Amino acid sequence: MKRILVCEDEDAIRDFVVINLVRSSYDVVDVSCGEDAVKVYTEQNGNFDVALLDIMMPGMDGFALCRWIREQSSEIGIIMLSAKSQEMDKVNCLMIGADDYVTKPFSPSELVARVDAIYRRVNVTQARQDTVKNIFGAFTIFTDKPFGIGDTINVNGLEGTVIDVGMRSTRILGYDRRITSYPNYKITDASIVNISSEPMRRAMVKLGLTYDTGAEKMKQALEILRAIPAKI
């Protein structure tokens, strides 16, 4: 599914944009301010192909949001929306990391055409990177950091078992049974230890037990301890 993040503080314009993108088969997540955009982007691990950002917003404006998103990802396509049509505004947007600039008012066909163009560019770039990383079925070889499904790895302090390796992200099941989706582009630059390849290691589990721990939580703690040998 083609995923796009829309950040526009004017309800009418945001609804207009969302309706036309949904009609064009995009999976749209829309917010009304830069702060909410940062929150959603972080919660969803940057799992977006394109971001459509209004420039003039209270609080965190489109310029600041564009810079922040570009710092998180060099791959996502970013399109700026503005009522300003001065050339310097367009130049500023491109200099801080945007890929395109759309001036209000705009027609539905122009908006969708520009989003489609950026999406195709992002898709081609991602396909080339995936080819370089040599994806074979469900196993991804990250040149100097190999791991596969079932391996126990530590990625920048996040430790768990790899349960899925996708085109965009790797899903890791932590010892607390929570599943984390980790973007592949971050993994390629991360500090990774493939614990499964080590001959032996020490297991450390924080159970959070106290003298007044109830029977149900104690039962859960015992289940965690019993599962440790299978993970070492």
Side-chain angles (χ1 to χ4, degrees):
M1 177 66 79
K2 302 179 291 186
R3 303 201 77 224
I4 183 167
L5 173 63
V6 174
C7 185
E8 165 64 63
D9 64 322
E10 295 186 42
D11 295 342
I13 296 178
R14 189 173 66 254
D15 291 344
F16 171 80
V17 168
V18 171
I19 288 172
N20 284 283
L21 290 174
V22 170
R23 286 176 177 171
S24 299
S25 301
Y26 281 92
D27 177 14
V28 184
V29 176
D30 63 289
V31 293
S32 59
C33 66
E35 291 79 5
D36 284 349
V38 169
K39 181 180 179 181
V40 168
Y41 186 96
T42 302
E43 289 176 345
Q44 301 198 22
N45 293 312
N47 189 23
F48 294 98
D49 300 296
V50 181
L52 197 59
L53 316 176
D54 182 34
I55 292 179
M56 303 300 292
M57 296 186 294
M60 186 181 198
D61 64 17
F63 290 119
L65 180 57
C66 177
R67 291 191 194 94
W68 185 86
I69 291 178
R70 186 55 73 209
E71 288 174 357
Q72 313 309 308
S73 170
S74 60
E75 301 172 6
I76 186 173
I78 301 177
I79 301 175
M80 308 301 291
L81 298 176
S82 178
K84 297 182 178 181
S85 58
Q86 287 87 350
E87 182 179 351
M88 199 60 217
D89 291 317
K90 298 178 181 180
V91 171
N92 286 338
C93 287
L94 296 175
M95 289 181 64
I96 62 174
D99 298 288
D100 201 356
Y101 185 102
V102 179
T103 304
K104 302 175 184 177
F106 46 81
S107 67
S109 57
E110 178 191 7
L111 176 68
V112 173
R114 288 178 180 269
V115 172
D116 284 345
I118 295 300
Y119 174 76
R120 286 194 299 269
R121 188 187 310 168
V122 170
N123 234 23
V124 169
T125 301
Q126 183 65 44
R128 288 173 178 169
Q129 291 176 346
D130 288 340
T131 299
V132 171
K133 292 171 187 174
N134 296 322
I135 294 185
F136 299 102
F139 181 59
T140 302
I141 300 176
F142 294 94
T143 53
D144 60 341
K145 306 181 183 76
F147 60 84
I149 293 176
D151 284 352
T152 300
I153 64 174
N154 185 304
V155 186
N156 287 342
L158 171 64
E159 189 168 313
T161 302
V162 178
I163 60 174
D164 181 62
V165 180
M167 294 289 287
R168 295 292 181 89
S169 62
T170 295
R171 300 174 71 205
I172 301 172
L173 177 64
Y175 295 145
D176 58 0
R177 312 309 294 172
R178 292 182 181 179
I179 297 175
T180 301
S181 182
Y182 212 99
N184 288 344
Y185 73 86
K186 289 187 177 181
I187 288 180
T188 57
D189 298 321
S191 172
I192 298 179
V193 177
N194 190 332
I195 298 170
S196 298
S197 64
E198 296 179 357
M200 61 180 180
R201 70 185 187 90
R202 179 179 60 188
M204 180 180 294
V205 180
K206 294 182 180 180
L207 298 176
L209 302 179
T210 61
Y211 70 93
D212 58 348
T213 297
E216 184 61 30
K217 189 168 183 180
M218 185 66 74
K219 180 181 178 181
Q220 293 176 357
L222 290 173
E223 290 177 353
I224 292 174
L225 290 174
R226 292 192 184 102
I228 289 177
K231 298 180 180 297
I232 298 180

